[in-house]
């Protein structure tokens, strides 16, 4: 059996392969034996430590932390990772392609609601398109609600105005009727003065 030694503990090929297998499952494509040895040595900071398979996930986390950042928007074994700026650009381009005009603040708002990791380009574009459609539906719904509220307020005001107008016309009509009644009485009185007794 091939065995590697460090200052702190004995690391076997079996240890390295166990860590490599878990590392590949977490998306590290091919960590070198040297990288794995360094991560194990970093995790076990004691001279009398012994390798324990239960510690492999923490060792792999050390390997993950040591990985250089993945280029954004590129396929990896696990997913596509998209930066905020790229999400903004995708939202703006997709909106333009489907004929939707968005201002910068709307693009930013939509992009912030989009995840950063995707399993495929298709999933990414579906997410962007769905986010734009959902935003437009929300905006139309909000505008529709605003218009409905405005229409209700206008109708209420017109109703108040019609009621007030009816009240004014009713008062004017009562005044006219009262004036007509008074005029008829006066006219009857005047007519009675000119009546010749028989």
């Amino acid at each position: 059996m091939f065995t590697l030694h460090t200052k702190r503990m004995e690391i076997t090929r079996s240890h390295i392969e166990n860590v490599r297998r878990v590392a590949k499952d977490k998306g590290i494509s091919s960590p070198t034996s040297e990288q794995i040895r360094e991560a194990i040595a970093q995790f076990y900071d004691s001279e009398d430590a012994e390798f324990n398979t239960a510690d492999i996930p923490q060792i792999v986390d050390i390997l993950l932390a040591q990985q250089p950042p993945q280029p954004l928007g590129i396929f990896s074994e696990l997913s596509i990772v998209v930066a905020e700026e790229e999400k903004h650009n995708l939202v703006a381009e997709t909106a333009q392609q489907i004929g939707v005009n968005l201002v910068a603040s709307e693009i930013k708002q939509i992009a912030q609601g989009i995840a950063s990791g995707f399993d495929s380009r298709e999933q990414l574009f579906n997410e962007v398109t769905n986010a734009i459609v959902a935003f437009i539906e929300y905006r139309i719904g909000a505008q529709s609600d605003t218009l409905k509220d405005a229409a209700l307020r206008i109708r209420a005001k017109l109703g108040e105005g019609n009621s007030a107008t009816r009240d004014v016309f009713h008062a004017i009509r009562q005044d006219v009727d009262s004036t007509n009644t008074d005029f008829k009485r006066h006219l009857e009185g005047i007519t009675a003065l000119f009546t010749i007794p028989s």
Side-chain angles (χ1 to χ4, degrees):
M1 174 181 241
F2 178 71
T3 304
L4 299 169
H5 294 278
T6 68
K7 298 177 194 174
R8 298 185 176 101
M9 66 178 296
E10 182 179 309
I11 301 173
T12 67
R13 178 169 295 283
S14 173
H15 297 149
I16 292 172
E17 291 307 315
N18 287 337
V19 171
R20 182 174 285 130
R21 188 181 72 254
V22 174
K24 284 184 180 181
D25 290 344
K26 284 201 168 190
I28 303 174
S29 59
S30 55
T32 65
S33 296
E34 184 60 35
Q35 289 172 322
I36 294 171
R37 278 194 296 277
E38 288 174 14
I40 291 171
Q42 185 177 343
F43 182 77
Y44 294 108
D45 198 20
S46 170
E47 291 182 23
D48 57 347
E50 290 187 29
F51 186 85
N52 184 341
T53 56
D55 297 330
I56 291 177
Q58 291 87 359
I59 294 169
V60 170
D61 287 342
I62 292 171
L63 284 171
L64 280 169
Q66 294 172 350
Q67 293 294 305
Q70 179 178 337
L72 301 176
I74 304 297
F75 286 95
S76 73
E77 285 184 18
L78 291 179
S79 64
I80 298 171
V81 179
V82 184
E84 285 299 315
E85 182 179 339
E86 190 171 359
K87 286 193 289 186
H88 290 189
N89 293 339
L90 284 169
V91 168
E93 290 171 12
T94 304
Q96 185 178 18
Q97 288 174 358
I98 61 177
V100 175
N101 293 323
L102 299 172
V103 295
S105 62
E106 293 171 330
I107 292 170
K108 181 179 180 180
Q109 183 179 355
I110 294 169
Q112 287 174 339
I114 298 173
S116 295
F118 301 92
D119 292 331
S120 66
R121 276 266 186 230
E122 183 179 339
Q123 183 187 21
L124 167 63
F125 290 119
N126 285 341
E127 180 78 16
V128 170
T129 303
N130 290 340
I132 293 169
V133 169
F135 178 81
I136 296 303
E137 287 174 346
Y138 167 77
R139 186 169 72 178
I140 289 171
Q143 288 174 346
S144 176
D145 290 345
T146 301
L147 290 174
K148 285 178 187 174
D149 289 345
L152 289 174
R153 288 195 315 262
I154 289 169
R155 284 187 192 118
K157 286 293 182 187
L158 287 174
E160 290 172 10
N162 285 342
S163 176
T165 304
R166 276 193 304 269
D167 291 346
V168 168
F169 283 130
H170 183 69
I172 292 172
R173 185 174 190 163
Q174 285 179 339
D175 288 347
V176 168
D177 287 346
S178 176
T179 303
N180 281 342
T181 304
D182 289 345
F183 179 73
K184 284 179 186 176
R185 259 189 262 135
H186 286 298
L187 186 58
E188 287 172 2
I190 292 174
T191 308
L193 290 175
F194 292 105
T195 305
I196 303 177
S198 23

